[in-house]
């Protein structure tokens, strides 16, 4: 259990901050939580606070070749628009914030155990641990912005995000939603590959 807790840092709303996150980065300013219905045709994600109040929502058009997603706040105000680049060797998503700030999230290839995503246009980097389903978001000065953790073995796609830079919350939420879409794309691709291999065998 000790090894699992070291790598896996997901927590539910109302629970204490993960001890490993607190030891490395201190107490976050606040935390957000997401839940999405994995088997829903219309992909919808609620982003809630520690009191389980909805503060953001993400909705994806279906069908959508480019996985077009819009994020709004609790009042219905536009926060960000996300699109996936379809023909590319590695995953790449384009994000445009409501204030016009634009950047891309792209996956670096050929990392055996770590997952590295560059936030092009901001100079940030999202680094993951494939065993613990944890991701840490760093700025250009290597200062932590947020820590994202995914729940293992859940019927619903659940994430917890500890935010250390509250003034960047909107961008962080857009990156979180993009990450969730990237992880689901990988699951779908892996399932398709497994199905193809078994049918050929």
């Amino acid at each position: 259990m000790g090894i699992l807790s070291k790598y896996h840092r997901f927590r539910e709303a109302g629970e204490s901050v993960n001890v490993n996150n607190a030891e490395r980065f201190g107490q976050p300013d606040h935390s957000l939580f997401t839940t999405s219905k994995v088997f829903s045709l219309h992909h919808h994600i609620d982003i809630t606070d520690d009191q389980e109040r909805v503060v953001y929502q993400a909705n994806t058009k279906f069908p959508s070749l480019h996985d077009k997603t819009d994020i709004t706040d609790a009042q219905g105000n536009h926060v960000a628009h996300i699109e996936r680049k379809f023909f590319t060797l590695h995953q790449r998503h384009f994000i445009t914030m409501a204030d016009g700030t634009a950047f891309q999230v792209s996956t670096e290839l050929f990392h055996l155990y770590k997952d590295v995503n560059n936030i092009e246009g901001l100079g940030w980097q999202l680094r993951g641990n494939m065993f613990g389903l944890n991701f840490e978001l760093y700025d250009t000065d290597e200062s932590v912005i947020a820590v994202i953790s995914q729940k293992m073995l859940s019927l619903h796609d659940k994430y917890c995000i500890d935010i250390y830079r509250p003034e960047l919350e909107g961008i962080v939420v857009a990156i979180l939603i993009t990450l969730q879409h990237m992880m689901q794309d990988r699951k779908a691709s892996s399932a398709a590959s497994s199905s193809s291999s078994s049918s050929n065998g």
Side-chain angles (χ1 to χ4, degrees), residues 176-194:
L176 167 64
I177 298 301
T178 302
L179 174 64
Q180 289 193 240
H181 279 250
M182 293 168 74
M183 296 292 282
Q184 287 200 343
D185 285 347
R186 289 182 199 180
K187 286 181 183 177
S189 178
S190 177
S193 296
S194 299

Side-chain angles (χ1 to χ4, degrees), residues 18-84:
N18 179 271
V19 64
N20 297 291
N21 288 353
E23 286 179 357
R24 284 190 63 188
F25 308 114
Q27 289 290 321
D29 180 85
H30 64 287
S31 302
L32 296 175
F33 306 84
T34 75
T35 301
S36 61
K37 294 180 179 179
V38 178
F39 303 108
S40 173
L41 288 178
H42 297 279
H43 193 51
H44 174 87
I45 299 174
D46 284 329
I47 301 96
T48 58
D49 62 15
D50 224 348
Q51 304 301 314
E52 300 187 0
R53 296 172 296 205
V54 175
V55 288
Y56 298 98
Q57 292 186 324
N59 289 285
T60 303
K61 293 181 179 178
F62 183 87
S64 174
L65 189 64
H66 295 282
D67 200 26
K68 293 181 179 180
T69 301
D70 286 295
I71 302 173
T72 55
D73 65 16
Q75 289 73 44
N77 299 311
H78 177 65
V79 175
H81 176 76
I82 305 168
E83 288 193 27
R84 175 182 60 204

